[in-house]
């Protein structure tokens, strides 16, 4: 049926919209927007920003179409290689294209803001400021540092923040009229010149081999750069980057955590005098769009960012680097669940540029790719400079009395190092005072009413918190079962450990680094620099500390309680323990002092423990990979996980049952479940899972493509929240 009175339009265009539906939408238009351009369209009662996918090949006449309201861009927002990558990602992860494209844009671009620079504010020296001798500010080092920087060149507000200049220094200099704030329209300056600010180091033979191999590659090639902590991977990055930058091309660097960016940034800035942008969460939306434009237009030479930076368009990309490629935070855990490492590898392929995956503890997936010769494998086995490898000690804690998790042999090893003036780092994979609150008389445990989980005691706040749903309660004074007032914490947390350490070693102050002590902006950086400066000899922390931070004076590192990982239901637990152990061990004994790594365990005879300690991560990983092959687990099979959440367990399970029934029975594919998640209840909802395990990726994609368009019709799915996770990393 056609509506005769409707005006006629020349084109029917297809638009991808940010809605959770597995299809695109059609709109009328008199002009044909460029493929990849943003358009503003009506959608129900709302207006949405969508992306033009081109003219509709076969307009669907069942629906009345509306005209688009506005075309926002003259050309595609993305260069062709990135556009192909985004299409690939939507298909590979079986995620709605509209949402994938939406995710790949900075917030302001999603809202329809023009993709151009706006006037921003920046700081400049006044005439007085330019003339002032820096020695005049000797008594105000913060102000001196800022003025010195501004005498070199003006700084955008975002760079002042990124450079960690204090607000009071900014204000003080403004009051003295030495600096002022000016409106400034950024200029496109894609003709930055390459410059070296510092001489490169003399490479050792392994480093030289790695740099030569990568620099010689003329085509897209992936390199696994495997090197223990301190083996000089960063120096390899820097020297490969130098060649790329010299040729006028850009480098995209992905780091797992924003906490690592200032450190990385500093090393890059010390070496190169080229414009660097950082994409991180502390930027305002405007600053983020500007940084994105800097990359897109070629005025940034080096782009550093976390996970989502993998989608940043670059005008002249020459190299991608992923530091700590094994790190779990490269995987997005909600919404569009992509793995930035895997996307980056494909991006490098599409853009025909080399990619370096660096790690001391590569993921088993990446090691497998190297074994299969898909990636070239470069190894750095020596610690740079003269650092010696660490000594490994296992302490069997079975039957030993423990003080907040510390055994007597460990305490005496610690004392020895502390008295010699060295730093000691204790690693505990928990936070809070104690994981649970227990009645000493009857054994009752304080339990979250909404989850299958125990409350965690937070001593400082005097409250109980559920780490799964966030519920909070004041600390009870009495047992809920027997009324006893003898309530004790069970298990050890970083806070309890800190207290016990203060009793055992009263002369050595403790620095605790975990999520609780680093909540305030900048406090992680402050703690890390205090630790590096040896202001504290005793360091206590969670896995935050295991990532890439360098503490030259630490000579003893101990892992107190990791036995849980040895018998975990999660098939990746052993790999993660291996990575954690090795990363933590890497904190010990840099420079000229030999370090010791202590593992306290109830299971010293465990095969994985023995392999790890005696043969190192490389050997351990090969064994673990062999086991994956025998058990047909990734990377030797391909997984996809459907999750549901509902107020009733039955509803969560039924929805997955209905999905399971849609799968045709084919060779090489198995559907497992529905089954309850490891944590069956969270925040009052029941959680279920359905696992699809396939022989290969092609079969998995084929099956998912078959299933997903049919899900919209399932009544069972309307009563639950559901999601699909391709290559799931986490099964909790
Ligand atoms: P990684 O990134 O593998 O942890 P880094 O690149 O940070 O290692 O190097 C560790 C330390 O060794 C740094 O202080 C670095 O300056 C130094 N270093 C690296 N390569 C060399 C070299 N070829 N000669 C001397 N020192 C080096
Ligand atoms: Zn009791
Ligand atoms: Zn809870």
């Amino acid at each position: 049926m056609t509506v005769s009175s409707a005006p006629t339009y020349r084109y029917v265009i297809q638009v991808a919209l940010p809605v959770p539906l597995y299809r695109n939408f059609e709109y009328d238009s008199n002009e044909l927007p460029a493929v990849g351009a943003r358009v503003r369209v009506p959608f129900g009662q709302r207006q949405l920003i969508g992306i033009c996918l081109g003219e509709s090949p076969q307009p669907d006449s069942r629906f009345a179409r509306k005209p688009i309201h506005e075309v926002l861009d003259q050309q595609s927002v993305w260069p062709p290689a990135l556009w192909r990558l985004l299409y690939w990602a939507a298909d590979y992860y079986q995620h709605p294209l509209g949402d994938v494209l939406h995710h790949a844009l900075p917030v302001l671009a999603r809202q329809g803001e023009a993709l151009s620079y706006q006037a921003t504010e920046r700081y400049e020296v006044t005439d007085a400021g330019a003339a002032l001798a820096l020695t005049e500010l000797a008594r105000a080092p913060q102000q001196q540092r800022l003025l010195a920087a501004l005498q070199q060149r003006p700084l955008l507000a975002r760079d002042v923040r990124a450079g960690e200049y204090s607000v009071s220094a900014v204000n003080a200099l403004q009051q003295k009229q030495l600096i002022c704030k000016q409106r400034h329209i950024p200029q496109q300056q894609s003709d930055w010149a390459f410059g070296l600010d510092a001489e490169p180091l003399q490479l050792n033979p392994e480093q030289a081999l790695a740099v030569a191999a990568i620099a010689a590659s003329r085509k897209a090639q992936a390199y696994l750069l495997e090197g223990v902590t301190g083996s000089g991977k960063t120096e390899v990055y820097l020297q490969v980057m130098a060649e790329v930058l010299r040729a006028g091309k850009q480098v995209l660097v992905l780091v797992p955590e924003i906490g690592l960016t200032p450190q990385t940034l500093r090393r890059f800035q010390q070496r190169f005098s080229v414009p660097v942008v950082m994409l991180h969460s502390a930027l305002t939306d405007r600053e983020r769009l500007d940084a994105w434009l800097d990359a897109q237009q070629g005025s940034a030479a080096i782009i550093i960012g976390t996970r989502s930076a993998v989608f940043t368009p670059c005008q002249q990309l020459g190299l991608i680097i992923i530091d700590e490629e094994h790190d779990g935070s490269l995987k997005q855990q909600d919404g569009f669940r992509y793995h930035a490492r895997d996307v980056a590898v494909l991006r490098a392929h599409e853009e025909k540029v080399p990619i370096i995956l660096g790690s001391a503890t590569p993921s088993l997936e990446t090691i497998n790719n190297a074994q299969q010769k898909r990636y070239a494998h470069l190894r750095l086995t020596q610690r740079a400079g003269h650092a010696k490898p660490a000594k490994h000690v296992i302490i069997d804690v079975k039957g030993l009395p423990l003080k907040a998790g510390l055994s007597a042999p460990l305490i005496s090893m610690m004392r020895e190092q502390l008295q010699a003036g060295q730093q000691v780092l204790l690693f505990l994979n928990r936070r809070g005072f104690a994981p649970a609150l227990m009645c000493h008389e009857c054994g009752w445990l304080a339990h979250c009413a909404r989850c299958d989980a125990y409350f965690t005691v937070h001593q400082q706040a005097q409250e109980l918190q559920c780490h799964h749903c966030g519920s909070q309660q004041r600390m009870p004074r009495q047992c809920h079962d027997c009324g006893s007032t003898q309530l004790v914490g069970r298990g050890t947390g970083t806070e309890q450990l800190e207290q016990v350490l203060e009793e055992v070693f009263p002369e050595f102050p403790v620095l605790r680094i975990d999520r609780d002590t680093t909540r305030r902006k900048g406090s992680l950086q402050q703690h890390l620099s205090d630790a590096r400066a040896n202001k504290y000899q005793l360091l206590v922390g969670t896995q935050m500390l295991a990532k890439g931070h360098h503490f030259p004076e630490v000579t003893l590192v101990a892992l107190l309680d990791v036995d849980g990982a040895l018998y975990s239901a999660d098939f990746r637990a052993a790999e993660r323990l291996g990575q954690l152990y090795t990363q933590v061990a890497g904190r010990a004994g840099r420079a000229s002092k030999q370090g010791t790594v202590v593992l306290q365990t109830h299971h010293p005879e465990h095969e994985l423990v023995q392999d790890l300690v005696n043969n190192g991560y490389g050997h351990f990983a090969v064994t673990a990979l062999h086991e994956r092959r025998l058990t047909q687990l990734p990377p030797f099979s391909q997984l996809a996980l459907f999750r549901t959440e509902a107020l009733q367990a039955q509803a969560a399970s039924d929805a997955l049952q209905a999905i399971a029934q849609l799968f045709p029975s084919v060779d090489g594919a198995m559907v497992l479940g529905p089954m309850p998640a490891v944590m069956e209840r969270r925040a009052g909802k029941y959680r279920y899972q359905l696992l699809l395990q396939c022989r290969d990726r092609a079969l998995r994609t084929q099956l998912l493509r078959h299933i997903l368009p049919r899900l919209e019709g399932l009544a069972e799915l309307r009563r639950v929240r559901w999601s699909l996770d391709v290559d799931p990393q986490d099964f909790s």
Side-chain angles (χ1 to χ4, degrees):
M1 186 185 86
T2 49
V3 184
S4 54
S5 62
T8 54
Y9 290 89
R10 286 182 64 191
Y11 302 105
V12 178
I13 60 165
Q14 258 191 335
V15 176
L17 291 175
V19 293
L21 295 172
Y22 284 86
R23 58 187 165 88
N24 300 313
F25 297 84
E26 290 178 340
Y27 288 89
D28 286 322
S29 176
N30 274 326
E31 58 177 318
L32 189 57
V35 173
R38 293 171 304 158
V39 292
R40 193 188 303 279
V41 297
F43 187 79
Q45 301 301 309
R46 296 179 291 162
Q47 285 199 12
L48 291 178
I49 304 293
I51 306 295
C52 171
L53 303 177
E55 207 174 344
S56 204
Q58 283 174 318
D60 188 336
S61 53
R62 286 173 301 166
F63 303 107
R65 275 187 303 272
K66 291 181 185 166
I68 62 169
H69 285 171
E70 192 185 355
V71 176
L72 296 170
D73 303 300
Q74 292 311 302
Q75 51 196 5
S76 173
V77 172
W78 295 280
L82 201 47
W83 182 248
R84 288 195 300 275
L85 181 78
L86 292 164
Y87 256 87
W88 170 85
D91 186 50
Y92 182 85
Y93 292 106
Q94 286 293 307
H95 193 76
L97 179 64
D99 202 50
V100 170
L101 297 173
H102 183 77
H103 189 94
L105 287 172
V107 170
L108 286 183
R110 294 175 196 170
Q111 295 167 354
E113 185 83 13
L115 295 182
S116 58
Y117 294 107
Q118 260 181 14
T120 57
E121 303 207 301
R122 69 176 193 181
Y123 293 98
E124 299 175 5
V125 283
T126 58
D127 288 346
L132 191 79
L134 288 171
T135 47
E136 301 272 319
L137 290 174
R139 299 232 305 239
Q142 293 271 3
Q143 295 177 35
Q144 190 185 39
R145 192 165 75 92
L146 177 57
L147 187 69
L150 292 178
Q151 284 182 346
Q152 296 299 316
R153 62 192 174 99
L155 284 176
L156 296 176
R158 74 165 191 244
D159 294 330
V160 169
R161 235 176 304 145
E164 294 160 12
Y165 298 101
S166 78
V167 178
S168 58
V170 174
N171 292 340
L173 289 179
Q174 269 185 300
Q175 254 154 33
K176 296 182 198 163
Q177 302 195 347
L178 294 171
I179 67 171
C180 61
K181 221 181 200 179
Q182 292 285 356
R183 272 170 63 79
H184 163 74
I185 301 205
Q187 304 256 321
Q188 181 180 341
Q189 35 120 225
S190 50
D191 54 343
W192 43 267
F194 173 74
L196 271 185
D197 278 353
E199 279 307 306
L201 298 175
Q202 182 75 37
L203 297 177
N204 69 34
E206 287 179 333
Q207 286 176 314
L209 207 66
V211 171
I214 304 167
S217 82
R218 293 260 167 272
K219 57 180 166 53
Q221 167 72 44
Y223 296 90
L224 164 58
L225 181 62
E226 179 177 5
V228 296
T229 313
S231 61
K233 292 185 295 295
T234 310
E235 187 60 32
V236 171
Y237 300 156
L238 287 167
Q239 300 209 13
V240 174
M241 286 168 74
E243 293 314 307
V244 173
L245 295 169
R246 207 188 297 276
K249 295 199 172 150
Q250 295 167 290
V251 181
L252 175 63
V253 182
L254 299 183
V255 293
E257 264 198 85
I258 214 56
L260 289 175
T261 46
Q263 185 182 320
T264 312
L265 179 72
R266 226 174 356 256
R267 285 186 73 176
F268 290 177
Q269 284 179 333
Q270 278 164 3
R271 183 66 57 88
F272 306 119
S273 62
V274 298
V276 181
V277 296
M278 282 204 294
L279 292 158
H280 58 80
S281 50
L283 298 181
T284 65
D285 289 345
R286 184 71 230 174
E287 290 166 342
R288 187 173 265 277
L289 178 58
D290 284 350
W292 187 89
L293 287 168
D294 286 345
Q296 189 211 37
Q297 308 197 353
S299 44
I302 301 173
I303 299 103
I304 307 176
T306 45
R307 188 169 64 216
S308 63
V310 73
F311 295 113
T312 313
C314 296
Q315 212 200 28
Q316 276 275 17
L317 188 64
L319 172 69
I320 303 178
I321 295 173
I322 305 189
D323 196 23
E324 312 285 347
E325 71 83 31
H326 65 278
D327 197 285
S329 60
L330 288 165
K331 173 79 197 281
Q332 168 99 7
Q333 300 285 14
D334 54 21
F336 170 32
R337 295 170 168 78
Y338 63 96
H339 200 303
R341 174 196 61 218
D342 299 343
V343 173
V345 168
L346 206 89
R347 176 161 184 192
H349 181 79
E350 285 291 331
E351 304 231 18
K352 300 193 175 44
V353 301
I355 179 169
I356 309 176
L357 310 179
S359 176
T361 54
S363 62
L364 297 188
E365 279 84 354
T366 295
I367 291 181
N368 183 52
N369 280 322
Q371 284 184 350
Q372 307 296 317
K373 306 271 184 263
R374 282 190 284 268
Y375 300 171
H377 197 161
L378 305 168
R379 289 187 180 85
L380 305 180
T381 58
Q382 311 295 319
R383 283 190 165 188
H386 301 287
K388 298 191 187 72
K391 199 169 88 195
H392 300 259
V393 174
I394 296 180
I395 298 178
D396 183 355
V397 292
K398 259 199 308 294
L400 292 185
L402 297 177
K403 235 183 189 174
L406 300 170
S407 63
L410 176 58
I411 290 178
S412 71
M413 292 174 78
M414 291 168 64
R415 176 160 293 124
E416 202 177 302
Q417 296 302 316
L418 291 169
Q419 283 171 350
Q422 307 296 341
Q423 277 181 308
V424 170
L425 194 162
L426 298 180
F427 178 86
L428 200 62
N429 204 7
R430 297 214 196 91
R431 68 193 179 103
F433 184 87
L437 185 73
M438 188 172 66
C439 170
H440 191 54
E441 293 190 44
C442 78
W444 167 84
L445 284 154
H447 189 280
C448 174
R450 309 174 71 201
C451 306
D452 280 336
Y454 297 114
F455 273 123
T456 297
V457 178
H458 286 247
Q459 197 73 3
Q460 267 175 0
Q462 278 293 301
E463 64 182 18
L464 298 176
Q465 264 187 30
C466 172
H467 281 197
H468 302 290
C469 73
S471 294
Q472 297 179 357
Q473 249 182 37
R474 275 186 51 79
M475 188 99 80
R477 296 184 187 283
Q478 288 190 313
C479 168
H480 287 194
D481 272 1
C482 74
S484 160
T485 53
Q486 295 219 29
L487 299 179
V488 293
R490 199 183 58 91
T492 310
T494 44
E495 221 175 306
Q496 186 184 9
L497 181 57
E498 182 185 16
Q499 280 190 3
V500 166
L501 286 172
E502 279 163 4
E503 289 160 24
V504 180
F505 299 110
E507 65 278 35
F508 300 106
V510 178
L511 177 66
R512 173 160 67 94
I513 302 187
D514 59 19
R515 239 182 294 169
D516 287 334
T517 64
T518 55
R519 242 178 255 290
R520 217 165 34 81
K521 220 190 218 166
S523 59
L524 176 61
Q525 294 310 322
Q526 188 57 48
H527 284 344
L528 291 173
S529 78
D530 285 353
R532 268 195 296 272
N534 205 359
K535 284 194 193 158
Y536 297 84
Q537 274 180 259
L538 264 171
L539 312 174
V540 170
T542 56
Q543 65 254 61
M544 257 183 178
L545 271 180
K547 292 185 183 178
H549 305 294
H550 299 171
F551 308 112
E553 302 300 322
V554 170
T555 49
L556 177 65
V557 187
L559 289 90
L560 301 189
D561 179 12
V562 288
D563 285 348
L566 296 173
Y567 299 98
S568 171
D570 182 341
F571 72 89
R572 283 201 176 84
E575 176 186 359
R576 292 207 186 102
L577 172 60
Q579 289 165 343
L580 187 64
Y581 179 81
T582 312
Q583 296 280 340
V584 169
R587 304 303 117 213
R590 322 258 315 191
S592 54
K593 297 164 199 136
Q594 182 173 34
T596 302
V597 189
V598 174
L599 180 67
Q600 289 195 149
T601 176
H602 291 86
H603 309 279
E605 74 296 340
H606 196 287
E607 228 177 287
L608 291 177
V609 169
Q610 286 297 329
D611 198 12
L612 199 53
V613 170
N614 297 327
N615 309 321
Y617 183 81
H619 192 276
F620 164 87
V622 171
T623 315
L625 200 53
H626 183 66
E627 232 164 79
R628 294 265 186 98
R629 188 192 289 280
L630 293 179
T631 48
Q632 284 298 299
L633 285 164
F636 303 103
S637 66
Q638 304 298 330
L639 305 181
L641 189 69
F642 286 91
R643 295 188 180 89
T644 52
E645 260 185 38
L647 285 169
Q648 274 86 35
Q650 196 62 45
S653 169
D654 286 351
L656 291 174
Q657 193 59 52
I659 295 178
Q661 275 158 8
L662 292 177
F663 281 102
S665 130
V666 291
D667 257 5
M670 244 187 341
V671 177
L672 303 161
M675 57 206 157
V678 174
M679 177 174 301
E680 189 179 346
R681 278 183 86 204
R682 179 146 92 195
K685 299 250 178 70
Y686 286 88
R687 308 161 72 238
Y688 275 69
Q689 305 181 341
L690 183 78
L691 188 67
L692 171 67
Q693 185 171 16
C694 291
R695 180 185 58 212
D696 55 43
R697 294 202 165 107
L699 179 59
R700 177 181 64 191
T701 304
Q702 205 185 338
L703 285 171
L704 291 175
R705 274 192 202 133
H706 173 79
I707 294 297
L708 286 170
R710 289 154 214 254
L711 294 189
E712 262 181 67
L714 288 184
E716 289 90 340
L717 274 192
R718 300 211 184 100
R719 290 180 291 138
V720 304
R721 269 190 62 161
W722 70 275
S723 63
L724 167 63
D725 192 351
V726 170
D727 297 335
Q729 295 286 316
D730 179 13
F731 297 85
S732 56

